[in-house]
Amino acid sequence: MAESRPVLIKCEDIYVAIDLDILRDESEVINSMLEDLCHRSDDTSDDDNAPCETRSTKLTKGEVDILELFGFDKEAVKLVFGDLAGFEGIVNICDDFDIYFKMLEICAHFDIHGPIHEIKQKFKTYPTLSCVDSFIEAFKMAEKIDAFFPNLGETKDILFKRCVAYARSNFLSWEVILEFIRKNETNNEFTWKLFQELNKQEAIIRRKVEDIENVEKEGPSYIIGNLEWKILCKRRGGSNDYLGLFVQVDNPSCDNYGDDWSCLADVELNLVDQVTGYKWHHSFLHRFCQNDRSVGKTTFKEWSQVTSGYNYVKDGTLLVEAEIKIKSTNGLKTSFGNTFSTIGWFDKSPESKSNGKDPATEEDDICKEGEVEENDDSNESDQESEANSDGSSSCAEKEEQSEADKTYVLLHCKDIPIVLEKSLLVRQSGFFKKKFEEESNSEKQVLKKEDFSLTQSFHLSNYDSTATKALFDLMQGFPQVLNSIQKFETFNDMIDICKTYEIDRFEDITNRIRVIDFPFEEVVEAYKVSKLLETIDGFDSQADELKEKCVAIAGSNLASWQYLVSFIVNNKGDNIDPAIEILKLLGNEDKCMIRHVVPDIENIDDEEQFIKSNALWNIDVLKTTLKSKDYLTVSLMCTAEDPDPDEWSCKVKNVEAKLLKNDGTCLTEHVEEHTFHHEYDDKLELFSMLKSEVLDKKNGFIDEQGKKIQIEVKFERDKAKKVGYL
């Protein structure tokens, strides 16, 4: 019988001895390398530093081949080839997701299949997804496998399902979601898939009751269909002893918009035999609402049958599950409904330098003014008269020319034709000016009617027809369509047209954008416009202002895990990247600004809450009476959803509070630093003043109707403890 021949696998200072026949059987790639070994000389010229390359060298001393690997992780090499060499359980000693991925790289590169089964089994149980960090590592691994190893789809699915299960029971906090978004560097489309799973209308949730004697202890909650579900266990006790099983659903945001919500769902409750997998079940069709949030059966199973005769109880534990299929929902909102006017953005209509006029017509206006001046003042010098005479002559020539045969251009935008004077396009568009200078390269359509001729037509089919009409109306001096636009998708097209066709109307567009009180549903499109404005010279400040508004409106509407899930799921495709970028800004901001408007100083309601730097902030305005005098006290508050609030704190510094006046000035107070603790009533008082001083219109704090005041607070977040983790 022929003696087996060993091969040494070398990677840096790691050596693994493995039988040659095992290598040949396991990998055709390595087998080809070993065959090639017989035909290669010792003085090989391979590049030792080439990544993911191999070099083989045959030693003259002894009957041993060395296969040296470059560009791979040495720990991963030791585990992969150690497993092939027969060291059972060596793969299980790894506790690092990154090493697992590098092992998969080696397996894929050399077409090795042996260790993959062990890796799959390991992914089912380890590492334990016990915190946001371990969850993110598992999530990144699933995305990498999906991107680089499409043939390992089953392995990716195992990890992804574990990630979904973790998120389903741990993302019941907007802070945890933002912490995940902030730390996660994986593909945004893959992130969207995760939240899409959470938002699906059906799922199976399981609960393991660890102590059968304490069966009524409340279990975890789970996200399904953007509602919060849990399985409740009850024991009736007494002579007629039964186990009761129920499903309860909560809509945590219902208090913000009343109790008018409902959810119709099929529910199947199961008691699981932990040995055979047999399930004792009852099914229900139920419409859940605020006043009827649970369904189940008090006499689900006799207690004696639960504890004996079957394997429902194993090692003192009980396994129950609920299969939920949502048929319809009603009244589930996706935000708090705040707009810029409610959170204090008092932008007034800015003065436009162009006011919708064609800049090239200003010379005509000057000429007309010259004519008026000449007629009104007969005592001017001869030199001034001559100048005015020349000006009148120039204007007359233009008037005469305008009465001559005019040339027009036909622009097609979807189903709307737009006719513009050719000379206007030449004056205001660098693109069309060049285009008409090369008329020989363009097809012409000529239609003559007396003094009217149409030459050349252009198709702008990629743009919104409203955007096209608004822009070209503006070029002719008619800003009415522009001033009626509310959709940022339209503004995006207008700016893109201006960039493409070199039309300098950016200021008119940004002036209109500044005064729009747009809803939260437009925030992603608005953010895309801010990114587009960043690419235009001289409009950085307008881009920053719009971006700041987008983050502010998002922060005032998303302080709910339900709203965050909806926000991510509803922004798929081209919108997912800007949506995730907005959320990262909410979690990453160290320098924060909050604006708040008190709509009626005589009737102060609850204040809006804002997400900033992954904490929840609000400006508290309180009316107090001291020695028969009424005061208004303004304070900054910070809270968190941390499950152990005694361990939570947040430090701020360089706090600047302003009570804004109508003329742009303000009353300003400064606080050097303050640390918020877990107490809900922990406030940082910013300023206090007599209510009569605020109401006095002479001081300029109150608006013209005598109701609204506006407050602005800027601060830096210095340190925080245990924010954003479960």
Side-chain angles (χ1 to χ4, degrees):
M1 183 188 277
E3 229 178 90
S4 63
R5 184 166 132 224
V7 173
L8 283 181
I9 306 296
K10 180 179 184 297
C11 184
E12 298 180 22
D13 58 346
I14 294 290
Y15 290 85
V16 180
I18 186 169
D19 188 88
L20 175 62
D21 292 335
I22 293 176
L23 277 180
R24 290 186 185 279
D25 292 341
E26 180 64 35
S27 171
E28 284 295 329
V29 175
I30 294 179
N31 186 42
S32 299
M33 292 177 181
L34 294 172
E35 291 291 340
D36 185 53
L37 180 64
C38 301
H39 307 289
R40 299 178 59 184
S41 60
D42 292 341
D43 56 345
T44 180
S45 60
D46 288 350
D47 182 2
D48 289 357
N49 296 318
C52 294
E53 291 292 330
T54 61
R55 179 168 63 86
S56 303
T57 305
K58 185 175 182 179
L59 301 182
T60 55
K61 184 179 179 180
E63 294 291 328
V64 178
D65 293 329
I66 294 181
L67 185 65
E68 189 168 3
L69 309 181
F70 299 98
F72 296 103
D73 181 86
K74 64 180 183 180
E75 289 299 321
V77 169
K78 180 175 72 174
L79 294 175
V80 169
F81 289 97
D83 180 79
L84 292 180
F87 294 98
E88 292 186 8
I90 191 172
V91 172
N92 293 326
I93 69 174
C94 179
D95 59 357
D96 189 333
F97 261 127
D98 193 45
I99 296 297
Y100 280 128
F101 183 73
K102 290 171 180 176
M103 290 171 66
L104 290 175
E105 282 185 319
I106 295 171
C107 292
H109 187 80
F110 294 109
D111 195 22
I112 296 172
H113 302 282
I116 290 181
H117 175 71
E118 296 249 9
I119 294 173
K120 286 180 182 178
Q121 293 301 115
K122 195 68 174 177
F123 281 160
K124 290 181 180 179
T125 58
Y126 183 87
T128 302
L129 304 184
S130 57
C131 66
V132 171
D133 288 331
S134 63
F135 166 72
I136 289 175
E137 288 304 312
F139 191 68
K140 287 180 181 177
M141 173 64 75
E143 194 270 338
K144 282 183 178 180
I145 293 173
D146 187 49
F148 297 104
F149 307 121
N151 58 322
L152 298 179
E154 183 184 349
T155 306
K156 181 264 297 183
D157 290 341
I158 290 171
L159 269 178
F160 189 70
K161 286 178 181 178
R162 290 191 65 196
C163 290
V164 172
Y166 174 88
R168 200 179 292 285
S169 60
N170 282 281
F171 276 17
L172 295 159
S173 160
W174 61 263
E175 291 174 311
V176 175
I177 294 176
L178 283 187
E179 185 73 8
F180 163 69
I181 294 295
R182 184 179 70 84
K183 288 189 170 185
N184 180 38
E185 297 175 357
T186 191
N187 183 286
N188 288 338
E189 283 292 336
F190 204 69
T191 301
W192 181 84
K193 286 182 183 179
L194 171 69
F195 285 90
Q196 174 71 359
E197 286 293 323
L198 295 183
N199 199 52
K200 278 189 175 179
Q201 303 298 291
E202 61 180 79
I204 297 174
I205 57 175
R206 293 182 177 88
R207 177 187 171 191
K208 195 167 189 177
V209 181
E210 298 291 347
D211 182 6
I212 189 66
E213 298 301 324
N214 194 19
V215 72
E216 295 195 4
K217 183 179 179 180
E218 189 168 312
S221 298
Y222 304 87
I223 298 173
I224 306 172
N226 223 16
L227 289 167
E228 187 174 320
W229 303 77
K230 65 176 63 175
I231 302 174
L232 303 178
C233 300
K234 303 287 183 182
R235 184 178 176 184
R236 191 154 86 173
S239 58
N240 196 12
D241 201 0
Y242 274 88
L243 169 70
L245 283 186
F246 303 85
V247 160
Q248 178 178 297
V249 61
D250 285 303
N251 180 12
S253 300
C254 69
D255 290 340
N256 296 304
Y257 53 87
D259 300 333
D260 189 18
W261 67 273
S262 65
C263 171
L264 179 65
D266 279 322
V267 176
E268 181 177 287
L269 284 164
N270 299 313
L271 178 62
V272 182
D273 186 307
Q274 297 187 62
V275 175
T276 66
Y278 170 79
K279 299 177 181 179
W280 178 267
H281 67 90
H282 288 280
S283 299
F284 311 88
L285 174 63
H286 189 72
R287 185 176 296 278
F288 299 90
C289 63
Q290 186 66 17
N291 297 322
D292 187 5
R293 297 183 294 117
S294 64
V295 68
K297 191 174 179 66
T298 306
T299 56
F300 191 87
K301 188 76 172 174
E302 288 187 27
W303 187 255
S304 59
Q305 294 182 6
V306 172
T307 56
S308 61
Y310 292 90
N311 297 295
Y312 296 125
V313 179
K314 183 180 179 182
D315 299 328
T317 66
L318 193 70
L319 184 62
V320 294
E321 69 177 26
E323 184 174 350
I324 298 165
K325 296 180 180 179
I326 298 174
K327 291 180 170 292
S328 63
T329 58
N330 181 56
L332 301 184
K333 294 191 176 182
T334 57
S335 75
F336 287 112
N338 291 324
T339 64
F340 290 115
S341 61
T342 62
I343 65 173
W345 292 88
F346 280 173
D347 289 330
K348 298 180 179 179
S349 181
E351 294 182 3
S352 172
K353 293 180 181 179
S354 61
N355 293 319
K357 293 183 180 180
D358 177 1
T361 63
E362 291 180 1
E363 185 181 345
D364 295 339
D365 295 336
I366 294 172
C367 291
K368 292 175 182 178
E369 290 172 5
E371 290 175 355
V372 173
E373 289 174 2
E374 182 180 359
N375 293 330
D376 291 344
D377 192 353
S378 59
N379 297 323
E380 289 183 341
S381 66
D382 293 340
Q383 184 176 357
E384 290 173 332
S385 298
E386 184 178 350
N388 284 334
S389 177
D390 292 342
S392 299
S393 176
S394 174
C395 291
E397 289 176 4
K398 288 188 177 183
E399 184 70 20
E400 183 179 346
Q401 184 179 358
S402 66
E403 294 299 327
D405 188 28
K406 294 181 180 179
T407 305
Y408 292 83
V409 174
L410 178 62
L411 302 173
H412 298 276
C413 183
K414 296 182 179 177
D415 58 338
I416 297 180
I418 300 172
V419 178
L420 286 179
E421 189 180 343
K422 183 176 179 179
S423 60
L424 182 143
L425 280 176
V426 171
R427 291 194 303 270
Q428 297 197 45
S429 168
F431 171 86
F432 282 110
K433 182 178 180 181
K434 296 172 188 174
K435 191 77 174 175
F436 294 138
E437 288 174 353
E438 303 169 352
E439 282 199 37
S440 58
N441 297 326
S442 303
E443 293 183 4
K444 291 186 179 181
Q445 268 187 321
V446 180
L447 175 65
K448 291 189 176 181
K449 289 185 178 178
E450 299 175 353
D451 64 340
F452 178 90
S453 67
L454 186 65
T455 178
Q456 294 183 259
S457 62
F458 295 89
H459 291 269
L460 308 176
S461 56
N462 292 330
Y463 297 106
D464 177 74
S465 56
T466 303
T468 309
K469 178 171 176 52
L471 180 59
F472 290 117
D473 275 7
L474 182 67
M475 292 169 64
Q476 298 176 83
F478 305 110
Q480 289 85 351
V481 179
L482 170 64
N483 292 336
S484 68
I485 294 175
Q486 297 287 334
K487 297 289 186 181
F488 274 86
E489 190 174 2
T490 306
F491 289 124
N492 200 315
D493 273 3
M494 290 186 72
I495 294 171
D496 197 24
I497 295 171
C498 287
K499 285 188 64 179
T500 303
Y501 296 100
E502 302 173 42
I503 301 170
D504 188 10
R505 287 293 182 171
F506 300 113
E507 185 175 0
D508 299 278
I509 299 170
T510 54
N511 284 343
R512 171 59 185 161
I513 288 172
R514 286 193 64 219
V515 299
I516 296 178
D517 185 23
F518 58 87
F520 169 70
E521 288 72 21
E522 283 284 302
V523 71
V524 172
E525 290 297 335
Y527 191 83
K528 288 162 70 174
V529 169
S530 76
K531 300 293 285 185
L532 187 58
L533 286 173
E534 287 179 342
T535 65
I536 302 169
D537 291 339
F539 283 83
D540 291 342
S541 61
Q542 290 91 330
D544 290 342
E545 179 184 320
L546 182 56
K547 186 181 294 186
E548 188 177 312
K549 282 186 174 184
C550 293
V551 175
I553 195 69
S556 69
N557 279 282
L558 292 177
S560 159
W561 68 261
Q562 292 173 294
Y563 297 162
L564 274 173
V565 171
S566 295
F567 179 69
I568 295 171
V569 170
N570 292 338
N571 285 291
K572 57 185 177 180
D574 292 341
N575 282 352
I576 187 61
D577 286 342
I580 294 295
E581 195 169 328
I582 290 171
L583 296 183
K584 285 187 175 182
L585 288 173
L586 285 180
N588 281 340
E589 289 179 304
D590 291 326
K591 294 184 178 181
C592 307
M593 182 186 76
I594 298 173
R595 284 185 180 179
H596 175 64
V597 57
V598 179
D600 188 350
I601 200 67
E602 298 294 347
N603 298 288
I604 301 176
D605 297 322
D606 293 336
E607 316 300 347
E608 289 85 9
Q609 295 178 311
F610 304 85
I611 298 174
K612 292 284 181 180
S613 195
N614 208 20
L616 196 60
W617 307 81
N618 69 296
I619 298 173
D620 180 65
V621 182
L622 184 66
K623 290 191 292 185
T624 58
T625 302
L626 182 63
K627 294 182 179 180
S628 302
K629 292 184 178 181
D630 291 335
Y631 288 83
L632 286 178
T633 303
V634 178
S635 304
L636 180 65
M637 298 180 63
C638 180
T639 56
E641 287 186 324
D642 196 282
D644 186 8
D646 291 338
E647 297 294 324
W648 176 84
S649 67
C650 183
K651 182 179 179 181
V652 295
K653 60 182 182 180
N654 300 330
V655 182
E656 180 183 76
K658 297 179 180 179
L659 183 59
L660 304 180
K661 295 185 179 182
N662 296 323
D663 62 0
T665 61
C666 59
L667 171 68
T668 305
E669 294 289 341
H670 295 272
V671 178
E672 187 173 339
E673 66 177 43
H674 179 79
T675 300
F676 295 94
H677 295 284
H678 65 275
E679 294 92 349
Y680 181 75
D681 59 351
D682 186 19
K683 299 180 181 181
L684 170 59
E685 185 174 313
L686 301 173
F687 49 76
S688 180
M689 60 188 303
L690 286 169
K691 181 181 174 183
S692 58
E693 293 182 4
V694 177
L695 292 175
D696 190 344
K697 291 187 178 181
K698 293 179 181 179
N699 293 327
F701 297 118
I702 201 81
D703 70 343
E704 294 179 359
Q705 286 73 38
K707 289 187 175 183
K708 296 180 181 179
I709 60 170
Q710 184 177 356
I711 303 159
E712 178 181 291
V713 181
K714 294 182 179 180
F715 57 91
E716 296 179 33
R717 175 168 158 177
D718 189 17
K719 295 178 181 178
K721 185 179 180 182
K722 289 191 69 174
V723 175
Y725 284 91
L726 280 181

